[in-house]
Amino acid sequence: MKYMKLGSKPDAFYAQGNCRYILHVSSDLATDVTIIVGEVKFYLHKFPLMSKSNRLQKLVSGAIDVDSNEILLPDFPGGPKNFEICAKFCYGMMVTLNAYNVVAARCGAEYLEMTEDADRGNLIFKVEVFLNSSLFRSWKDSINVLQTTSSLLPWSEELKVVGRCVDSIASKTSVDPSSINWSYTYNRKLTLSNEIVDDTTKVQDRSASVPKDWWIEDICELDISLYRRVMIAIKSKGRMDANIIGEALKTYAVRWLPDSVEALLSDVHQQRNKSLVETIICLLPSDKGIGCSCSFLLKLLKVAILIGAEDLSREDLIERISLKLDEATASDLLIPAQSTQDTKYDVDLVQCLVHRFMMNENIGQDSNIVLKNEKNTDDFVLGHGPLLNVGKLIDRYLAEIATDPKLALSCFIDLSQSIPEAARPIHDGLYWAIDIYLKEHPILTKAERKKLCSMMDVKKFTANASMHAAQNERLPLRVVVQVLFFEQVRTAAIVQNTNSSGSLEVSRSTTNTDEDLEKSEPQPMTLQKQMSQLRTTNKDFQKNGKLIKEGSKHKSAIQLLPSRSRRIFDKLWVVGKGNGMGEAKSSETSGSSQSPSSMIRGEVKESPSTARDRRHSIS
């Protein structure tokens, strides 16, 4: 820290209680004026003071006219301690100025009008020289000087000390890192270090060793009002990267915002925390798509909601988050619900974020994208990675909130359907979320369970999800039958591809859409042939011992069929025999003119010809 010494005479002040006395160094002359600053009385001599201060000249002359030797200075900037510095300078005593007292001395000198017309080389002139030539050229001294200005308002503002400090700090942050030769605080992990090239040469790239965000931690010590001015000045220069601005705001928020909700909402600091959050939101980069991570913005939104920040600030955050929602995690979205809501988390807010994300991506009403996904999946994934990420995010979020017993089914379904089908090429995540919801809400009616499970497409399950669903007693029976059917058709395709049989019929069936299956239902002979081929192929493949080697991804359905599927099919067969085909088409097994269970039943119980005869006789 830089400093400047003024005067050469020894200090002759001494204290007695609240009174401070001065003994003249050259004589024993008695004091003839008393100056009262705050609660402290200074017994001084008129001549040294009047020779340096135009204001004291006027005040002493006025005191003589009223026959008094007391002068009252109730509003002296910096109080008694600062007046002592100015008085010592008038007497020529030794005074040391530094970054912590120079602003007070400058304000006091201005108050006393210690200008050049009163005496050459007066206090104002010397302080200005010290500020401009030393302190404003130093990085940390500029910050220390700025910190002292808060207690000296409005004097420090009127004298433009605050503005000059801010400009000095902002200018230094824009300097090329290779030109930085002053010390700074940087506690975060450095990514680059010196490299030893050989025994004699040591490469030390200054621009690489000094990070671009070297200044962030030092200005975090500033009060929020001063911090705001510094950041505005840095942004106005237009040289700072938006990502560094975002990192600086995040570091400041972590530095000053309390960790606990109780401290955040305490009566003592709630107003300060509210001002801090609103200021940080105001300082966010103008380009809403860059600058801050989505995780930080969501945490800031949580705090803004808790402390009751202004609606405009919250709206700004919501808009920024929606632009990069694909970068968020499910835990980031767990925003506590407000007191007026019944649920544990604010699901409506998340649905609003998803809706805005879809609007920004121009996906919400674009049906052509779904078409493109069906025709060319690779191109879709490459072009719409953010959409797929949001699809995974919402499925994970649904799994998190599904444990809330107060979460309404309609709310769960609405959020699930807030993303287009193209965002969910695999339905495993949706299945796990639905399973958790069924487990935590056992009182759902049969119709509600059916409505909930209708959102899933079992053809988009992986082997693990199919294996779990086939044994899941919480699912409607119709869903379990569909899982078993499509898993066995998928297995058949793998078996035939392995044997190089070239059977395109089974291979195509593994990727059929619902439309293809509906088209095939009026042709029972074709399906019976497929199931007969499937049974024959499975037997041959098991004899050769090759089925186990296909891996866990495709053997789950075959392992389940001997136990779980036979029990389900037997149960359905009993229902069909007891009630007739018309009654068998209940709400559990309805949905097409020929359900998968009725198809498989024909394979298990009778030959293709017998099944065909029975089907024609029933119809």
Side-chain angles (χ1 to χ4, degrees):
M1 180 173 59
K2 296 182 179 181
Y3 62 91
M4 180 176 71
K5 289 186 177 182
L6 302 175
S8 57
K9 298 177 182 179
D11 187 356
F13 277 95
Y14 66 92
Q16 182 179 351
N18 285 334
C19 298
R20 291 182 178 271
Y21 298 89
I22 180 84
L23 295 181
H24 201 281
V25 294
S26 60
S27 65
D28 295 331
L29 293 175
T31 59
D32 53 7
V33 63
T34 302
I35 298 180
I36 303 173
V37 181
E39 298 179 354
V40 179
K41 292 183 178 181
F42 291 86
Y43 293 89
L44 306 171
H45 300 85
K46 295 178 182 178
F47 178 75
L49 300 177
M50 295 173 66
S51 65
K52 298 287 186 180
S53 170
N54 287 332
R55 186 178 186 119
L56 288 178
Q57 287 181 17
K58 301 171 187 176
L59 292 175
V60 170
S61 299
I64 293 175
D65 293 340
V66 297
D67 195 19
S68 173
N69 64 345
E70 286 192 354
I71 298 175
L72 186 64
L73 303 178
D75 55 346
F76 189 84
K81 187 175 182 179
N82 187 38
F83 180 80
E84 182 177 340
I85 294 176
C86 297
K88 285 182 178 181
F89 177 81
C90 293
Y91 279 92
M93 296 179 184
M94 187 177 294
V95 177
T96 301
L97 297 180
N98 54 44
Y100 296 101
N101 62 12
V102 68
V103 178
R106 177 65 181 88
C107 296
E110 188 70 21
Y111 182 92
L112 295 175
E113 300 176 9
M114 301 175 72
T115 59
E116 289 300 288
D117 60 346
D119 186 43
R120 188 175 180 180
N122 215 339
L123 185 57
I124 291 178
F125 172 78
K126 292 186 179 296
V127 169
E128 286 294 335
V129 170
F130 182 48
L131 284 171
N132 296 325
S133 63
S134 296
L135 297 184
F136 290 154
R137 294 187 178 185
S138 170
W139 165 248
K140 288 195 173 181
D141 283 338
S142 297
I143 295 175
N144 293 333
V145 170
L146 183 59
Q147 285 180 301
T148 64
T149 60
S150 298
S151 60
L152 294 165
L153 295 173
W155 286 92
S156 59
E157 192 70 65
E158 293 175 355
L159 295 174
K160 299 182 180 180
V161 177
V162 178
R164 287 184 288 169
C165 285
V166 169
D167 186 65
S168 171
I169 295 170
S171 298
K172 289 178 176 59
T173 60
S174 303
V175 172
D176 186 350
S178 62
S179 303
I180 294 176
N181 55 9
W182 53 79
S183 62
Y184 55 88
T185 303
Y186 194 86
N187 294 322
R188 287 162 293 164
K189 185 178 180 181
L190 295 176
T191 57
L192 297 174
S193 59
N194 296 334
E195 297 181 1
I196 305 298
V197 178
D198 52 38
D199 295 337
T200 59
T201 305
K202 182 177 181 179
V203 176
Q204 185 176 5
D205 187 352
R206 185 65 182 172
S207 62
S209 62
V210 178
K212 293 182 179 180
D213 58 348
W214 59 269
W215 50 271
I216 288 178
E217 293 183 18
D218 285 327
I219 67 171
C220 278
E221 299 304 317
L222 295 173
D223 179 77
I224 184 62
S225 59
L226 295 175
Y227 182 84
R228 180 178 182 273
R229 293 187 61 169
V230 170
M231 291 301 298
I232 290 176
I234 292 174
K235 293 173 63 178
S236 66
K237 292 186 178 296
R239 304 175 188 172
M240 194 60 60
D241 185 82
N243 292 316
I244 298 179
I245 296 292
E247 181 64 24
L249 297 175
K250 178 181 177 181
T251 304
Y252 191 84
V254 172
R255 170 70 175 81
W256 290 105
L257 284 177
D259 297 330
S260 63
V261 177
E262 293 77 10
L264 191 67
L265 300 178
S266 64
D267 296 335
V268 180
H269 301 295
Q270 183 174 5
Q271 188 59 38
R272 180 186 70 86
N273 294 334
K274 180 180 178 181
S275 174
L276 190 151
V277 170
E278 291 177 350
T279 300
I280 290 177
I281 297 173
C282 176
L283 292 173
L284 290 171
S286 56
D287 189 341
K288 297 183 178 181
I290 60 175
C292 295
S293 66
C294 188
S295 177
F296 169 65
L297 293 176
L298 281 165
K299 291 176 182 177
L300 203 60
L301 180 59
K302 292 179 186 179
V303 176
I305 293 173
L306 283 173
I307 64 177
E310 297 292 335
D311 291 340
L312 288 177
S313 299
R314 294 165 60 178
E315 183 69 19
D316 185 26
L317 277 179
I318 291 174
E319 180 63 26
R320 291 176 182 273
I321 293 169
S322 65
L323 289 171
K324 49 176 58 183
L325 186 62
D326 56 299
E327 301 175 7
T329 63
S331 59
D332 293 333
L333 293 178
L334 296 178
I335 301 174
Q338 302 182 44
S339 57
T340 56
Q341 298 173 314
D342 295 332
T343 56
K344 183 178 180 181
Y345 300 108
D346 196 339
V347 183
D348 294 337
L349 178 58
V350 175
Q351 193 157 358
C352 174
L353 291 172
V354 176
H355 175 68
R356 293 202 182 188
F357 173 82
M358 295 303 167
M359 291 179 62
N360 294 329
E361 289 289 313
N362 294 322
I363 290 174
Q365 299 179 352
D366 190 356
S367 59
N368 294 330
I369 290 181
V370 179
L371 224 42
K372 184 178 179 181
N373 186 31
E374 293 175 353
K375 294 180 179 179
N376 196 335
T377 304
D378 293 337
D379 291 342
F380 175 79
V381 171
L382 292 175
H384 297 87
L387 177 62
L388 298 178
N389 290 337
V390 170
K392 295 177 183 178
L393 172 67
I394 295 305
D395 286 346
R396 296 190 186 104
Y397 179 74
L398 287 170
E400 293 285 349
I401 64 174
T403 58
D404 184 2
K406 294 184 178 180
L407 181 64
L409 177 63
S410 59
C411 187
F412 185 93
I413 292 177
D414 289 344
L415 181 57
S416 174
Q417 294 177 342
S418 63
I419 58 175
E421 189 64 26
R424 198 179 273 133
I426 297 177
H427 278 213
D428 284 22
L430 179 61
Y431 166 68
W432 301 124
I434 290 176
D435 184 49
I436 294 173
Y437 191 88
L438 290 172
K439 182 179 180 181
E440 297 295 331
H441 300 78
I443 61 173
L444 291 178
T445 64
K446 185 176 181 181
E448 289 174 333
R449 290 191 300 119
K450 180 181 177 181
K451 181 179 180 181
L452 180 63
C453 293
S454 66
M455 296 188 299
M456 299 185 299
D457 187 349
V458 298
K459 295 190 302 300
K460 296 182 179 180
F461 283 2
T462 63
N464 289 336
S466 297
M467 183 176 181
H468 187 277
Q471 304 174 84
N472 193 343
E473 297 180 356
R474 289 185 287 271
L475 296 179
L477 190 59
R478 178 176 180 270
V479 176
V480 177
V481 171
Q482 288 177 335
V483 170
L484 290 169
F485 171 74
F486 287 113
E487 185 65 20
Q488 187 156 349
V489 173
R490 179 189 301 166
T491 304
I494 298 299
V495 170
Q496 292 188 2
N497 288 336
T498 303
N499 291 337
S500 300
S501 62
S503 178
L504 298 178
E505 200 68 52
V506 178
S507 176
R508 289 171 58 187
S509 68
T510 60
T511 56
N512 274 348
T513 61
D514 289 335
E515 183 181 2
D516 298 330
L517 288 176
E518 290 173 0
K519 290 179 180 179
S520 65
E521 283 180 0
Q523 302 173 6
M525 285 300 297
T526 302
L527 182 60
Q528 290 293 348
K529 290 180 180 179
Q530 289 183 11
M531 301 309 299
S532 299
Q533 293 175 2
L534 174 62
R535 181 174 62 253
T536 304
T537 306
N538 283 342
K539 290 180 180 180
D540 295 340
F541 195 70
Q542 289 174 351
K543 289 180 181 180
N544 294 332
K546 296 180 180 178
L547 187 59
I548 305 300
K549 297 181 181 180
E550 282 302 312
S552 59
K553 183 176 181 181
H554 301 291
K555 67 183 180 181
S556 58
I558 297 178
Q559 292 174 339
L560 291 172
L561 284 175
S563 57
R564 177 70 174 169
S565 62
R566 183 179 299 134
R567 179 159 54 87
I568 293 175
F569 295 153
D570 289 345
K571 181 177 180 181
L572 290 175
W573 178 245
V574 172
V575 173
K577 290 174 64 179
N579 300 329
M581 182 60 72
E583 296 178 6
K585 293 181 180 179
S586 63
S587 62
E588 290 285 291
T589 58
S590 62
S592 65
S593 61
Q594 187 175 358
S595 66
S597 59
S598 64
M599 301 176 197
I600 299 175
R601 187 193 313 138
E603 176 199 353
V604 175
K605 292 296 182 180
E606 39 194 356
S607 64
S609 61
T610 307
R612 185 163 57 254
D613 295 338
R614 172 181 290 275
R615 185 177 301 277
H616 290 306
S617 63
I618 292 175
S619 59

